[in-house]
Amino acid sequence: MMTKSKLLWKVIGLEILVIFWFVVNGAYVSMTHPTTHYLQFLGIVPLAIGIAFYLTKTKKWPHFFSFQQNMSLRTRILFLSPLLLYLLIILIGNKGVHGSSIADLVLILLTQTLVIAFVEEMVFRGFILNLLLSKSYKVAVLLSSFLFAFTHSLNMLSGQSVANTIFQILFAFVIGLVLALLIVNGQSIGVTIVFHALNNFLQFTSPVDANDSFLVNYALLLFLSGYAFYLWNRKSTLSVSQHQISS
């Protein structure tokens, strides 16, 4: 069984690994000033390749990408419908998406899916969450979400205001809670990757300034908080039921 100190160092190591590669990417962007979206995240590609190589070598793709709880397709769609509604609200609030061409939009979506969402979900909802689940799902959900949110403080290095960064950290924490709770409720990490990618895609392709959708952002934050509360209670109820059955 893994000791507390070894577990702690593994979690810290993963957090440092993510921060390191995002700092490297930030330095690359500062020096090269890429004009296309996908080149703005080129510095993260080696980490994405490394994670994919690790999953292939250890044959752990099915471990992370399979559903751990059997549901009918209809039930699963209903269970995940708050995520779909959230994305629809953003799409309507942003008045659609904006790109120089269809090819440009496709490249943005692929970059967000195969690089950013894949890396962040595998590190925070994959590796870190799984490590911490050996202690308790509550610790795993809260700490992995906190680390995910903390990583977003790096946006201040790119010149983002303190106020916007604080709100983004809070938003990231709540989204982290929702996505981590989906995993502990038996959903595939593939679901969280797709949602993460679509959320980023809609943000990057929005023709509306973020400050113009201030009230919408707070409403969405409350909406996600409510969904997180539901998922937390659902997991707690299932845990109590399973404990009673085993007893």
Side-chain angles (χ1 to χ4, degrees):
M1 187 172 178
M2 192 181 302
T3 62
K4 286 185 178 179
S5 60
K6 188 176 181 181
L7 175 64
L8 179 63
W9 281 113
K10 280 193 172 185
V11 171
I12 291 174
L14 285 166
E15 176 70 9
I16 291 174
L17 179 68
V18 171
I19 290 175
F20 170 78
W21 280 105
F22 273 91
V23 169
V24 167
N25 186 69
Y28 158 76
V29 170
S30 298
M31 290 186 293
T32 60
H33 303 288
T35 54
T36 53
H37 177 85
Y38 59 92
L39 289 178
Q40 294 175 15
F41 298 99
L42 191 62
I44 310 298
V45 172
L47 181 55
I49 293 173
I51 292 173
F53 176 77
Y54 168 79
L55 293 175
T56 302
K57 185 177 180 181
T58 58
K59 299 179 181 179
K60 288 189 175 181
W61 287 100
H63 173 73
F64 291 106
F65 283 82
S66 59
F67 289 95
Q68 302 302 316
Q69 192 174 106
N70 291 326
M71 289 181 179
S72 67
L73 179 60
R74 180 182 178 183
T75 302
R76 197 177 303 282
I77 290 173
L78 287 173
F79 184 66
L80 299 174
S81 60
L83 296 184
L84 300 175
L85 180 59
Y86 168 88
L87 293 171
L88 181 60
I89 292 171
I90 291 181
L91 181 63
I92 295 172
N94 289 351
K95 300 176 183 177
V97 296
H98 174 75
S100 59
S101 65
I102 296 296
D104 182 53
L105 291 173
V106 170
L107 284 172
I108 293 173
L109 182 58
L110 287 176
T111 301
Q112 289 302 322
T113 305
L114 302 178
V115 181
I116 304 303
F118 174 69
V119 165
E120 292 187 351
E121 290 306 311
M122 282 309 309
V123 171
F124 295 105
R125 258 69 67 181
F127 304 138
I128 290 179
L129 186 69
N130 270 262
L131 283 170
L132 294 171
L133 280 174
S134 62
K135 298 304 175 185
S136 79
Y137 80 86
K138 293 180 180 179
V139 170
V141 167
L142 291 172
L143 188 52
S144 64
S145 300
F146 169 78
L147 293 173
F148 176 64
F150 175 76
T151 304
H152 286 74
S153 64
L154 294 174
N155 289 326
M156 281 195 294
L157 298 177
S158 62
Q160 182 171 273
S161 69
V162 174
N164 285 343
T165 301
I166 291 174
F167 181 78
Q168 190 174 28
I169 289 172
L170 178 60
F171 211 100
F173 178 72
V174 174
I175 285 184
L177 286 177
V178 169
L179 299 184
L181 285 164
L182 284 173
I183 298 298
V184 299
N185 273 281
Q187 303 306 300
S188 164
I189 201 169
V191 170
T192 69
I193 289 174
V194 170
F195 170 78
H196 193 148
L198 289 174
N199 183 47
N200 285 1
F201 172 76
L202 291 175
Q203 302 297 337
F204 278 106
T205 59
S206 171
V208 179
D209 188 275
N211 294 323
D212 294 336
S213 53
F214 182 79
L215 291 177
V216 174
N217 287 334
Y218 271 98
L220 288 171
L221 182 62
L222 289 173
F223 175 74
L224 287 174
S225 298
Y227 188 38
F229 182 73
Y230 160 75
L231 292 172
W232 183 280
N233 284 340
R234 183 180 188 274
K235 177 59 179 175
S236 297
T237 303
L238 287 174
S239 297
V240 170
S241 299
Q242 290 169 356
H243 177 72
Q244 290 174 341
I245 292 172
S246 62
S247 298

